[in-house]
Amino acid sequence: MRRGVVVFLITTVVVLGFAVHHVWTLLMLLVVTGREDQISRAELPAPNSGAIIEQPQLIPKIIHQTYINDTVPDHWKGPQQSCLDLHPDYEYKLWTDKKSREFIAAEYPWFLETFDGYPYPIQRADSIRYFVLHHFGGIYIDLDDGCNRSLDPLLAYPAWVRRTNPTGISNDAMGSVPRHPFFLKAIDSLPEYNRRWILPYITVMGSTGPLYLSLIWIHYKNAKPQDMDRLRILFPDEYNNHPWSFFTHHLGNSWHNNDVKVIFWMAQHWVMITIIGFTMGFALLWCCYSTFVLQRQASANAGAKNRYAYSRIPFYRRISSKEFPLDDRHEV
Ligand SMILES: *[C@@H]1O[C@H](CO)[C@@H](O)[C@H](O)[C@H]1NC(C)=O
């Protein structure tokens, strides 16, 4: 093989290795199922079963929700009320924008600058839920999630989140004891992930939203937490759609805009996008290589004008070795 080609292949491998290392956590999200941490339906007592009172209560009986102010819009009053009705013995905390900011300023002042600096309000609504779970413990529920049965059985686990399809976890219903190491990691990593991407949806997802929490989850799992620190996972069947499920989901992601369609399309076609990405990267590398190395050689080589034009095509020179006799190998 020509030395130039070897250099090109090595460069490609190094660059690819770097890229894969960079997106490794994202790639792991595609294969990690969380099955080993599943809260299985078999271990959950049925609604109204006498077995529920025999379970330990680790998570404090607090329900947290968030909204701009105290005036919850009519379309969310139904779901909100369903949770209040099923949990008369729980404390209820509605985190308005004003209360959230006061809470961060008082309890986590190191985060206030990041919190105030978020360009999208949903980033504040996302992040505040990790802080209140870390501080008070309890169960956070999105306003568009209604309750289908008492959440008491879920108080028996130190911390849980819910699994989403096709990959990752969501931040719309989560429970935790105060100061659980998973939520500690979730609040501690927020400043580091506070980056802006081109699409607002990616910025929100990746800096504070479900994608952010899923990446934290992968890192947390990789660190092999002790059994008592495990983050348990509620799977879709236990989340909604069945009589024994805990929640009812009401569509209402008011902040989603057109980026969502792009992201969902990308999620569905990720194999193709990965291949195109790597092909484009490969082509780009080759262009750089041919521009800076081959062209210089080509112009230095009298009478080899054709070669200039073709040098951008990978391996062209090997194929056309008749045209360019092997005795010019030493020049590369
Ligand atoms: C609460 O926020 C909503 C949405 O921005 C607004 O329409 C409403 O007037 C606010 N209510 C109060 C009491 O400020």
Side-chain angles (χ1 to χ4, degrees):
M1 229 187 315
R2 302 177 74 106
R3 186 144 54 99
V5 173
V6 173
V7 170
F8 172 69
L9 287 181
I10 291 174
T11 315
T12 306
V13 167
V14 168
V15 171
L16 274 187
F18 190 73
V20 168
H21 175 78
H22 238 75
V23 295
W24 186 248
T25 317
L26 270 180
L27 294 176
M28 275 193 72
L29 255 188
L30 299 172
V31 294
V32 169
T33 63
R35 280 276 169 215
E36 61 283 9
D37 297 319
Q38 178 176 12
I39 300 177
S40 77
R41 69 182 72 170
E43 71 187 275
L44 284 167
N48 306 318
S49 158
I52 294 173
I53 25 174
E54 287 161 27
Q55 290 192 305
Q57 187 214 313
L58 304 179
I59 294 180
K61 291 186 167 177
I62 309 172
I63 289 176
H64 302 276
Q65 299 201 290
T66 58
Y67 191 61
I68 305 163
N69 53 34
D70 287 313
T71 320
V72 171
D74 287 343
H75 56 279
W76 284 335
K77 283 194 173 134
Q80 180 197 31
Q81 197 59 44
S82 69
C83 290
L84 289 170
D85 290 347
L86 281 164
H87 304 93
D89 53 337
Y90 283 43
E91 189 184 342
Y92 181 80
K93 287 179 187 283
L94 182 67
W95 292 95
T96 60
D97 285 1
K98 187 164 168 287
K99 281 187 199 149
S100 302
R101 192 179 184 283
E102 284 166 2
F103 168 74
I104 293 293
E107 300 292 344
Y108 300 91
W110 54 267
F111 186 66
L112 193 60
E113 193 188 332
T114 312
F115 189 74
D116 284 341
Y118 281 136
Y120 305 101
I122 185 70
Q123 292 175 293
R124 279 181 281 281
D126 271 335
S127 53
I128 188 68
R129 55 190 83 172
Y130 312 138
F131 283 94
V132 297
L133 286 181
H134 178 256
H135 188 81
F136 298 100
I139 295 177
Y140 170 83
I141 311 170
D142 255 6
L143 269 178
D144 56 2
D145 278 320
C147 296
N148 189 46
R149 58 176 285 195
S150 164
L151 300 172
D152 283 356
L154 295 175
L155 303 178
Y157 306 96
W160 54 268
V161 292
R162 92 174 170 91
R163 179 81 163 72
T164 43
N165 273 331
T167 177
I169 55 174
S170 176
N171 66 356
D172 61 0
M174 316 176 275
S176 177
V177 297
R179 316 207 184 267
H180 190 277
F182 174 73
F183 286 99
L184 174 65
K185 192 172 173 62
I187 63 172
D188 203 22
S189 310
L190 281 165
E192 186 192 331
Y193 283 74
N194 181 21
R195 297 185 207 125
R196 285 201 190 203
W197 304 90
I198 296 167
L199 296 171
Y201 189 70
I202 300 188
T203 302
V204 171
M205 293 280 286
S207 64
T208 56
L211 179 62
Y212 166 75
L213 201 65
S214 299
L215 296 177
I216 298 299
W217 174 50
I218 299 291
H219 286 300
Y220 187 76
K221 274 174 76 70
N222 285 349
K224 305 241 179 302
Q226 306 256 303
D227 200 42
M228 51 173 287
D229 290 339
R230 260 165 83 202
L231 178 69
R232 302 297 300 272
I233 310 291
L234 200 63
F235 271 64
D237 280 343
E238 282 64 62
Y239 168 67
N240 70 357
N241 287 336
H242 296 283
W244 70 84
S245 307
F246 286 97
F247 300 97
T248 52
H249 191 69
H250 303 255
L251 282 180
N253 285 319
S254 52
W255 55 278
H256 282 199
N257 40 36
N258 272 340
D259 310 342
V260 175
K261 292 181 191 133
V262 177
I263 302 291
F264 281 148
W265 184 87
M266 287 171 75
Q268 278 162 8
H269 298 88
W270 67 271
V271 174
M272 186 184 76
I273 289 168
T274 309
I275 293 171
I276 292 177
F278 279 130
T279 312
M280 281 171 59
F282 191 81
L284 189 71
L285 275 176
W286 183 262
C287 282
C288 294
Y289 173 72
S290 59
T291 306
F292 294 113
V293 183
L294 296 188
Q295 277 191 13
R296 215 178 49 212
Q297 287 158 2
S299 53
N301 193 352
K305 287 200 184 92
N306 285 340
R307 199 162 156 186
Y308 181 87
Y310 292 114
S311 65
R312 287 166 184 276
I313 305 168
F315 306 114
Y316 174 79
R317 299 211 298 169
R318 260 183 80 199
I319 297 161
S320 61
S321 58
K322 270 189 200 136
E323 209 178 320
F324 304 102
L326 287 173
D327 64 9
D328 75 345
R329 269 172 104 180
H330 65 276
E331 291 170 11
V332 177

